[in-house]
Amino acid sequence: MEGLSVLLVATDSSELLAYPERLSARLEVDGYLFFRDLLPETQVNGVADSVLAELGERGWLTGVGQAPRTAWAAPPPDRHVEDEDYWQTYAAVQSLEEFHRLGHSAELAAVREAVLGPESFTLPLKVLRMVRPYTAQLKKIIHRDYAAFRIPGMLTAWLPLVDCPQDLGGLKILRGSHRDIPEEDQVSELSVNNGNWVSANYRVGDVIVFHCLTVHAGQPNQSGDRIRLSADFRWQSSHTPVPQWVCQPHQSARIPGWAELTQGWSSQAWIDIPDGVATTGGDGSVFHG
């Protein structure tokens, strides 16, 4: 196993939730906001249980632990390869209404409105990451979301669906990089030893929000036997045009569209955009998802 990177501990901004101006000021300086225990554990666990049920039916697991939930990975072949099994599994989890509903929780909406204002919304495209502990997933790409989305001021909310200690990986953020590194600079080869990288021993209920120009990366899953499950949801102003491709499901070129994925849902509100929001072209081909 490779040595784990030494990272600074992300600053908890929970105490600023009642003070939108101070919250926005911290985001402006650091490029991220971390909230410990923002979401109800029961709500996140419900989504995780549904995802784990789908993975179990498809042979991805040898078992599931409780308190905390743990997804024990089946041995190789590595299910992250882009084969038919992987995409069928991903379509199954993308069809879970509770996953998409989670992105619209009251707690997340409160943070979104505090930093972007009430005229903002959650993008229909929502990403569910299933990272197994095998070689094909050890290399993670350092990047900025703006390179793919091209949505000025967009924010991403990343959250674990199972407890995520450092050996399981999780998100790391290069603090202040949205200000300190020019937008046009290539960031993929930045040193992992830069002293401004921050992360946490994430647990269910935690959320970290970051600016679209903030440099970040998923860390490798070095657990040896567990699957990391996480979600990322993205927010933008209602006054900014939205690319057409982010109104589609994540990996829409490889999985069915909304008409099939949403069969049986109680509401389609989770994948709608507000009336009057302009859309633009673009295929998102450089999105690291």
Side-chain angles (χ1 to χ4, degrees), residues 115-154:
V115 291
L116 288 179
E119 294 186 346
S120 58
F121 65 98
T122 301
L123 296 179
L125 180 147
K126 301 175 180 69
V127 182
L128 201 159
R129 303 191 187 277
M130 310 173 294
V131 182
R132 287 163 62 94
Y134 304 130
T135 303
Q137 296 190 6
L138 288 179
K139 182 175 176 57
K140 295 301 173 184
I141 300 174
I142 297 173
H143 65 285
R144 287 169 155 156
D145 282 358
Y146 186 75
F149 286 84
R150 297 290 171 179
I151 301 173
M154 184 189 75

Side-chain angles (χ1 to χ4, degrees), residues 203-286:
R203 62 192 187 216
V204 169
D206 292 351
V207 177
I208 189 163
V209 176
F210 57 94
H211 191 273
C212 58
L213 289 175
T214 298
V215 176
H216 61 283
Q219 298 182 87
N221 178 354
Q222 300 188 65
S223 67
D225 56 6
R226 286 164 287 152
I227 296 177
R228 182 174 82 237
L229 299 177
S230 65
D232 34 288
F233 308 125
R234 289 175 172 83
W235 308 331
Q236 72 163 75
S237 167
S238 299
H239 301 289
T240 301
V242 57
Q244 293 176 349
W245 69 273
V246 301
C247 297
Q248 303 304 315
H250 181 231
Q251 299 290 4
S252 59
R254 299 178 175 92
I255 69 172
W258 290 128
E260 181 174 335
L261 294 177
T262 60
Q263 290 181 13
W265 284 20
S266 64
S267 173
Q268 303 245 338
W270 329 122
I271 59 170
D272 288 340
I273 63 172
D275 291 340
V277 174
T279 60
T280 63
D283 62 4
S285 60
V286 296

Side-chain angles (χ1 to χ4, degrees), residues 65-242:
Q66 301 293 327
R69 280 165 177 72
T70 304
W72 300 104
D78 188 342
R79 301 290 185 170
H80 193 69
V81 297
E82 297 182 1
D83 60 9
E84 182 178 359
D85 171 79
Y86 181 84
W87 295 118
Q88 288 179 351
T89 302
Y90 196 62
V93 298
Q94 277 287 334
S95 72
L96 295 171
E97 183 178 7
E98 55 265 51
F99 166 65
H100 293 270
R101 184 189 295 119
L102 179 63
H104 295 258
S105 71
E107 294 81 7
L108 289 176
V111 176
R112 171 175 54 78
E113 293 187 9
V115 291
L116 288 179
E119 294 186 346
S120 58
F121 65 98
T122 301
L123 296 179
L125 180 147
K126 301 175 180 69
V127 182
L128 201 159
R129 303 191 187 277
M130 310 173 294
V131 182
R132 287 163 62 94
Y134 304 130
T135 303
Q137 296 190 6
L138 288 179
K139 182 175 176 57
K140 295 301 173 184
I141 300 174
I142 297 173
H143 65 285
R144 287 169 155 156
D145 282 358
Y146 186 75
F149 286 84
R150 297 290 171 179
I151 301 173
M154 184 189 75
L155 301 177
T156 297
W158 181 96
L159 56 105
L161 298 179
V162 296
D163 283 359
C164 190
Q166 285 295 296
D167 70 324
L168 200 57
L171 193 72
K172 65 179 180 181
I173 296 284
L174 189 57
R175 184 181 60 188
S177 55
H178 66 306
R179 296 180 296 106
D180 300 338
I181 301 176
E183 176 186 325
E184 64 274 12
D185 280 15
Q186 294 294 320
V187 299
S188 60
E189 300 303 323
L190 285 175
S191 172
V192 295
N193 297 316
N194 184 302
N196 285 324
W197 284 106
V198 302
S199 189
N201 283 308
Y202 299 105
R203 62 192 187 216
V204 169
D206 292 351
V207 177
I208 189 163
V209 176
F210 57 94
H211 191 273
C212 58
L213 289 175
T214 298
V215 176
H216 61 283
Q219 298 182 87
N221 178 354
Q222 300 188 65
S223 67
D225 56 6
R226 286 164 287 152
I227 296 177
R228 182 174 82 237
L229 299 177
S230 65
D232 34 288
F233 308 125
R234 289 175 172 83
W235 308 331
Q236 72 163 75
S237 167
S238 299
H239 301 289
T240 301
V242 57

